[in-house]
Amino acid sequence: MILIKLGGSVITDKKEYKRFNKEVVSRLCREIKDSEKDVMIVHGAGSFGHVLAKEFELQKGRIRDDQTDAVARVSRDVRELNNLIIKELIDAGIPAVSIPTGACFIMNDNELHIDPKVMQMYISIGIVPVMFGDVVTDTKKGFGICSGDRIIKCLADIFSPDKIIFVSDIDGIYDRDPKISRDAKLIAEVNEEILEQIPSEMTVDDVTGGVHAKMRTMLDMCSDSRDCILVNGTVDGRLNSLLKGMDVVCTRARK
Ligand code: IP8
């Protein structure tokens, strides 16, 4: 099984509140279907989640009264995004069902605990469960933000996928910020030592951390028998080629 995270930067326009990248998502769903691989899918929140979550500091848990309304609005918005994605998956021929993280699971001081039974049942009848970054109740903090990357980590521990693919809007990890430095070089394989040397301020405007945090999660999950790969989903066919086992421009995490 291949675990795929569709990142917020590729499924939405992160600069504009609730802007869905319908064409890109539709193509990515067709690329997944065409690969004929057995997959589980998680998606990020993009501008459906991060804009309000950041404004109301939801990642800090319950710290003031005006957050309650924001919790409800962010939950509503990420479900709206999830519905749009489920529609594209079904239109592409993938029988997908939504498993809303905040409705099904609880966090304990930011730590997500997933009971896999519902997902196992869906998988056993040929349905693809889809989870997403969400606002989740937290036994210690009242609520918190659970990122898609944290869900991926949890699912990887439970379902032992052969491969984990993070689909983003960048070709991979660079040795310096490619938006600032024209001679930034793409790194094909990242390990702990290489990651240490990459500037940590090279992050996107997220409440759940940027490229650096993602690479760290990837290093945690990769092994000799499991590839963890960051790939650019804005390039036509790249995800499809990667799913089919071809060599593509990307960054792989290496222990
Ligand atoms: O986009 C964040 O999930 P991510 C979830 O996977 C919210 O980091 C609600 C901001």
Side-chain angles (χ1 to χ4, degrees):
M1 187 269 286
I2 301 179
L3 192 49
I4 301 176
K5 157 96 189 275
L6 297 174
S9 61
V10 73
I11 58 177
T12 75
D13 180 342
K14 282 196 141 177
K15 293 183 292 299
E16 200 180 324
Y17 175 56
K18 285 175 55 174
R19 163 75 72 185
F20 179 53
N21 286 341
K22 185 181 186 318
E23 277 73 40
V24 177
V25 174
S26 164
R27 175 179 51 73
L28 289 172
C29 294
R30 280 182 271 119
E31 290 188 27
I32 295 170
K33 170 70 183 168
D34 177 76
S35 74
E36 295 178 355
K37 296 287 184 215
D38 184 15
V39 297
M40 270 179 92
I41 297 169
V42 174
H43 66 79
S47 58
F48 285 68
H50 286 275
V51 178
L52 285 182
K54 189 166 190 221
E55 187 182 334
F56 289 91
E57 301 181 287
L58 301 188
Q59 76 281 10
K60 293 187 177 166
R62 190 173 169 78
I63 50 169
R64 35 178 234 262
D65 288 343
D66 70 344
Q67 291 174 306
T68 315
D69 185 51
V71 167
R73 285 159 67 202
V74 172
S75 299
R76 174 201 61 197
D77 291 349
V78 290
R79 276 152 190 69
E80 190 179 327
L81 173 64
N82 178 248
N83 264 326
L84 294 167
I85 290 176
I86 295 281
K87 179 184 182 309
E88 295 307 325
L89 285 164
I90 292 175
D91 286 354
I94 299 171
V97 294
S98 170
I99 311 280
T101 320
C104 301
F105 307 106
I106 297 178
M107 292 200 295
N108 179 15
D109 204 10
N110 262 329
E111 198 68 48
L112 179 69
H113 298 277
I114 289 180
D115 179 343
K117 278 192 221 78
V118 175
M119 270 174 278
Q120 281 160 344
M121 269 306 294
Y122 275 122
I123 293 167
S124 75
I125 55 167
I127 284 179
V128 176
V130 179
M131 290 184 69
F132 51 92
D134 199 0
V135 195
V136 178
T137 52
D138 188 311
T139 47
K140 202 141 190 191
K141 300 165 125 188
F143 56 78
I145 294 293
C146 179
S147 70
D149 287 9
R150 193 169 302 162
I151 299 167
I152 289 274
K153 175 82 179 69
C154 228
L155 295 179
D157 291 341
I158 298 169
F159 291 95
S160 306
D162 310 310
K163 203 182 265 187
I164 305 173
I165 300 178
F166 289 84
V167 184
S168 181
D169 66 340
I170 47 171
D171 282 345
I173 297 280
Y174 288 82
D175 59 350
R176 63 201 96 156
D177 195 336
K179 287 175 191 133
I180 299 168
S181 176
R182 291 179 94 225
D183 35 52
K185 283 194 193 63
L186 183 75
I187 307 169
E189 282 190 9
V190 169
N191 57 26
E192 285 289 346
E193 295 88 82
I194 295 174
L195 188 63
E196 298 280 284
Q197 289 154 31
I198 299 170
S200 58
E201 67 274 13
M202 205 167 74
T203 56
V204 284
D205 200 17
D206 257 7
V207 292
T208 49
V211 178
H212 228 261
K214 181 178 300 301
M215 209 63 224
R216 203 150 277 298
T217 313
M218 289 172 64
L219 281 170
D220 278 353
M221 293 185 295
C222 72
S223 67
D224 287 345
S225 56
R226 180 196 289 154
D227 260 348
C228 262
I229 304 158
L230 180 64
V231 70
N232 193 341
T234 67
V235 181
D236 265 27
R238 203 172 275 178
L239 175 62
N240 181 262
S241 302
L242 183 63
L243 285 167
K244 288 176 170 166
M246 295 175 200
D247 253 347
V248 298
V249 174
C250 63
T251 295
R252 282 166 204 271
R254 281 271 177 260
K255 269 272 184 299

